[in-house]
Amino acid sequence: MILKKYVSTMTLITLMTSSILVGCSSQDENKVINSSELLKNKDARLAISMAVDKSEITSVILNNGSNPVNYYTPEGLAINDEGKDYREIAGNMGSGYDLKEAKEHWEKAKKELNFDKVTIEVLTSDVESSKRVGEFFQSQLQKNLDGMTVEIKQVPFKQKQQLEAQGDYDLVYSSWVADYPDPLTFLETFTTTGKFGVNSGYDSKDYNSLIEEGKTSSNINDSWKKYAKAEELLLSDAFIMPLFQSSSAYIQKPYVDGITIIPYGAKYAYKWASAEGKNELNLTSTSDIPSLDMSRSTDSLSFSAANNVMEGLVRVDNDGKVVEGIAKSWEASEDKKTWTFNLREDSKWSNGDKVTANDFEYAFKRTLNPETASQYGFIMYDIIGAQDYNIGKTKEAKGVGVKALDDYTLEIKLNRPVSYFDRLMAFPVFFPQNEKFVENQGDKYGTTKESTLYNGPFTLTKWKLDDVYIMTKNQNYWDENSVKLESVNTKIVKEGSADINLYENGDIDFVGITNEFIDKYKDTDEFSTSKNATTFFMLINGNKE
């Protein structure tokens, strides 16, 4: 009896132990971690970067001539004195679609973090093409990375920009449009203080050092080699997953001519545009203008709008040449470190005030003021004292090398020679601001047509949020005779095919088209494409709390 009881007891203990072990095993198999913990892991980020077939995005979703890429800085942006493209010197780099390697990195991440399941969120705008890219990512990651669930958050473009700026995302579908023709316009965005460096939590001393070494080099090829090393480091750290260099396909009515399409910075300009037999141009946009405060704007829609209702020291014309804006002439010192701009005296703001050199000095320093919280302060860091003021190292703006020598002479002193500095002045962040008007408007500045001041070819005469905005010819513009259109009318249309219907009905004159309409129009005289200095990518947040 004693032996029988002992055996029964041992059997019970064994069964209980087995049950406990099975229970533990079941819990381990279903261990869940949060997305922020996952994305801090380099192997996890690399797995995500290699698990999506980019060619499917360009050939199926877009089908507009865009090319899948593994690098960040686009082809055709920067050409040296020998005619070589930066990409030719830098070479190919980054992670392409490699399912075998993606799964190896994924298993490493699982082992390192001891998890089986995780849910991440992909943030996109509610524009149709963005939705489709987000859905494609969802299907690819869930299919290729075992244990991953992907949720999609689709919001209006302006809200997406805000969430991205706040770092409130796991993965966000984003893009960068070149501001000027140099690799630095892309690579500086991932320095510790750069837009995407801040948003994603990327903070690499080695990367920052390589960028600084490239900037201080006196030889362009030496600079580019440093930049290439920095770019390779950035891609290997996998806070960014480059997807494609974009091309734009569009159709326009035969009577439309002279729309300036700029491959970098503010994309569209209508100063020299015409519509034969009409005095207006009718367009659509997928989103409203987020802001016309150029110290706080961050997107191409805002910059394009500003490029038509405002004007900086120079402009870029239809041939890609730098031409007069508010500056009638300019010169650089022999060492290219001091630039002097001579302003015209017949340029006025829409309230009648004259545009002066002080408007530029004020605008530059307002953008750099830490209290403004501009995401574009970094673009001015070549100016003496700009970075120290922007990051709070110095408290006064007087050390910044921008000075109105008199009402119509602006002097800018640089830390290093910048051969393209005059071209950089066409970028809207460098546009003037009327100090008295801006200060009176406070936080409202640039948010409505009444709270914005204009000095460009057009003024904004109607701005109904998420509906329509109308730009009307500025009768006080110094070069009014060159402006042929009386108005440019833009309707907000978010549905993918609605703008095509408007075009076919004759309600609009120019529209970008997506892949489903390319075959229909590609053999017509109305169809054109243009290659953009723009890279689309997934930004991976490695610093979300």
Side-chain angles (χ1 to χ4, degrees), residues 84 267 319:
K84 286 188 175 181
K267 187 170 184 180
D319 297 320

Side-chain angles (χ1 to χ4, degrees), residues 117-146:
K117 293 185 178 181
V118 65
T119 298
I120 67 170
E121 184 179 83
V122 174
L123 174 65
T124 76
S125 76
D126 57 3
V127 175
E128 186 62 31
S129 60
S130 296
K131 288 181 181 179
R132 294 180 66 190
V133 170
E135 289 163 0
F136 179 71
F137 252 78
Q138 182 184 48
S139 66
Q140 289 270 286
L141 293 180
Q142 290 184 160
K143 173 186 173 184
N144 295 332
L145 300 180
D146 183 52

Side-chain angles (χ1 to χ4, degrees), residues 308-309 348-350 454-459 472-480 483 485-486:
N308 290 288
V309 298
K348 294 181 179 180
W349 291 104
S350 50
Y454 314 101
N455 73 318
F458 301 90
T459 64
T472 302
K473 183 175 180 178
N474 183 358
Q475 303 299 328
N476 292 322
Y477 180 55
W478 68 271
D479 196 21
E480 179 198 358
V483 183
L485 296 170
E486 289 298 323

Side-chain angles (χ1 to χ4, degrees), residues 184 186-198 200-217 223 226-227 229-234 237 378 381 387 391:
L184 199 59
F186 277 80
L187 300 178
E188 205 161 32
T189 61
F190 274 93
T191 59
T192 300
T193 56
K195 173 184 170 72
F196 297 125
V198 172
S200 69
Y202 186 63
D203 184 10
S204 168
K205 290 181 180 178
D206 290 340
Y207 182 84
N208 293 341
S209 294
L210 285 166
I211 295 298
E212 286 305 312
E213 288 171 19
K215 287 170 68 174
T216 55
S217 175
S223 289
K226 295 290 185 183
Y227 294 158
K229 286 183 180 179
E231 184 174 7
E232 195 162 18
L233 176 62
L234 169 67
D237 286 334
F378 72 89
Y381 282 3
Q387 183 170 5
I391 65 176

